[in-house]
Amino acid sequence: FLFITTGEENLLAILKRRWWKYMILGIIDIEANYLVVKAYQYTTLTSVQLLDCFVIPVVILLSWFFLLVRYKAVHFIGIVVCILGMGCMAGADVLVGRQQGAGENKLIGDLLVLGGATLYGISNVCEEYIVRNLSRVEFLGMIGLFGSFFSGIQLAIMEHKELLKVPWDWQIGLLYVGFSACMFGLYSFMPVVIKKTSATAVNLSLLTADLYSLFCGLFLFHYKFSGLYLLSFFTILVGLVLYSSTSTYVAQDPRVYKQFRNPSGPVVDLPATGQLEPSVTYTSLGQETEEEPHVRV
């Protein structure tokens, strides 16, 4: 309520300045979810699991060029170990014959996963920028506003026939409520974790989600178990520990940084002679600061 009615950063002021940016971000996030879910209709579960890892290099590249995040060798080693763990899990799926979701056109499904993973990466990097530099409340409010609006339009245009075919009963309704609750929790807690760590760390952590779904499927759907699943789980955990063991650092140009911190202030003319070298700000995973970070030149 306060977000809507009070202060300079109220809903109307935010919409006036940045409405088109949040509109684009909302559409990107909607289509990322839609493409990945739609891919299950055409391709196998194993393909979705493997190709969904494409979000990791997308996040790394976007973070490097737009957020100016710089990684060390141990970070890349941790990322490779996590991806190896994911490949181990996919191999276990093949060995136990867990190939649910095979459709008529596997190529279309694989392309949908790659497209969804790319959009996920863009959305996550934008989310990291917003929650670090603007506000977590602003991000959730704007994504919720534009996401609900455009997802409703897309549902009415593209999925209304399928929605009418659903044999509604209390069990199906409960499944929808449960899915909505899980997505609500994911979108509510992810900005907190991204602000304390990074979009890359969050996506590496999400690789374990397939393992948790497998463990639930062992009891609910009687999936076949393989020791490779445990090996892949611990491999991903080792990769996460390696990645989180060392802090990333951010290379920043002080001129850009000051203009961002004082968007309405006067522009300071810099001397024409001499070239200003870019500074490096070291950031620690898990450390949250509200003041301007110390800049070393």
Side-chain angles (χ1 to χ4, degrees):
F1 182 75
L2 294 175
F3 171 69
I4 297 177
T5 59
T6 64
E8 296 181 356
E9 294 299 321
N10 59 65
L11 177 60
L12 295 179
I14 293 173
L15 287 175
K16 184 178 180 180
R17 289 196 299 268
R18 297 186 284 269
W19 66 270
W20 63 273
K21 298 178 181 179
Y22 285 115
M23 181 186 69
I24 295 175
L25 181 58
I27 293 175
I28 289 174
D29 191 75
I30 291 170
E31 298 308 321
N33 286 281
Y34 180 80
L35 291 178
V36 173
V37 173
K38 192 71 173 179
Y40 284 96
Q41 182 177 343
Y42 298 99
T43 189
T44 62
L45 177 64
T46 303
S47 295
V48 173
Q49 292 172 342
L50 283 176
L51 295 176
D52 196 40
C53 294
F54 186 69
V55 68
I56 295 174
V58 172
V59 169
I60 292 174
L61 290 175
L62 293 178
S63 298
W64 182 283
F65 288 106
F66 294 100
L67 300 183
L68 303 180
V69 177
R70 298 296 181 260
Y71 303 93
K72 301 177 183 178
V74 66
H75 295 126
F76 292 108
I77 294 174
I79 292 170
V80 171
V81 172
C82 287
I83 295 177
L84 288 177
M86 198 65 193
C88 183
M89 185 181 65
D93 286 341
V94 175
L95 292 178
V96 301
R98 185 167 166 249
Q99 294 289 311
Q100 296 95 330
E104 297 179 356
N105 198 326
K106 191 172 181 296
L107 178 60
I108 292 179
D110 293 344
L111 293 177
L112 289 176
V113 177
L114 291 175
T118 302
L119 295 179
Y120 265 132
I122 297 173
S123 176
N124 290 160
V125 172
C126 292
E127 180 178 353
E128 180 177 351
Y129 177 84
I130 293 170
V131 299
R132 286 184 181 276
N133 299 309
L134 297 176
S135 167
R136 183 176 73 250
V137 176
E138 177 178 327
F139 170 79
L140 291 174
M142 292 295 100
I143 286 294
L145 176 64
F146 287 102
S148 300
F149 178 74
F150 287 106
S151 62
I153 293 178
Q154 182 166 325
L155 175 65
I157 296 175
M158 303 183 63
E159 303 293 337
H160 64 280
K161 294 182 180 179
E162 286 74 10
L163 190 63
L164 294 175
K165 296 177 182 178
V166 176
W168 292 101
D169 55 29
W170 70 271
Q171 292 179 331
I172 293 179
L174 188 62
L175 291 175
Y176 274 104
V177 171
F179 179 78
S180 300
C182 291
M183 295 301 293
F184 175 81
L186 176 66
Y187 275 83
S188 298
F189 290 111
M190 183 176 286
V192 179
V193 181
I194 285 181
K195 187 172 184 178
K196 291 182 176 294
T197 57
S198 66
T200 305
V202 168
N203 280 280
L204 290 175
S205 302
L206 288 177
L207 293 179
T208 60
D210 294 319
L211 274 300
Y212 297 133
S213 66
L214 167 69
F215 295 149
C216 293
L218 293 174
F219 298 99
L220 297 177
F221 306 109
H222 305 289
Y223 289 160
K224 294 181 180 179
F225 180 77
S226 172
L228 288 177
Y229 288 124
L230 291 178
L231 176 62
S232 63
F233 181 75
F234 287 110
T235 302
I236 294 174
L237 290 182
V238 170
L240 287 173
V241 171
L242 287 174
Y243 182 87
S244 302
S245 62
T246 305
S247 300
T248 58
Y249 60 96
V250 179
Q252 294 177 326
D253 189 326
R255 293 170 296 183
V256 177
Y257 186 71
K258 289 181 179 180
Q259 288 177 7
F260 173 79
R261 296 287 294 185
N262 304 284
S264 60
V267 178
V268 179
D269 294 330
L270 297 173
T273 60
Q275 185 176 0
L276 184 62
E277 296 182 358
S279 65
V280 176
T281 300
Y282 290 89
T283 58
S284 177
L285 294 178
Q287 182 179 2
E288 184 176 351
T289 58
E290 298 296 336
E291 300 179 354
E292 181 173 338
H294 177 68
V295 178
R296 296 178 180 177
V297 179

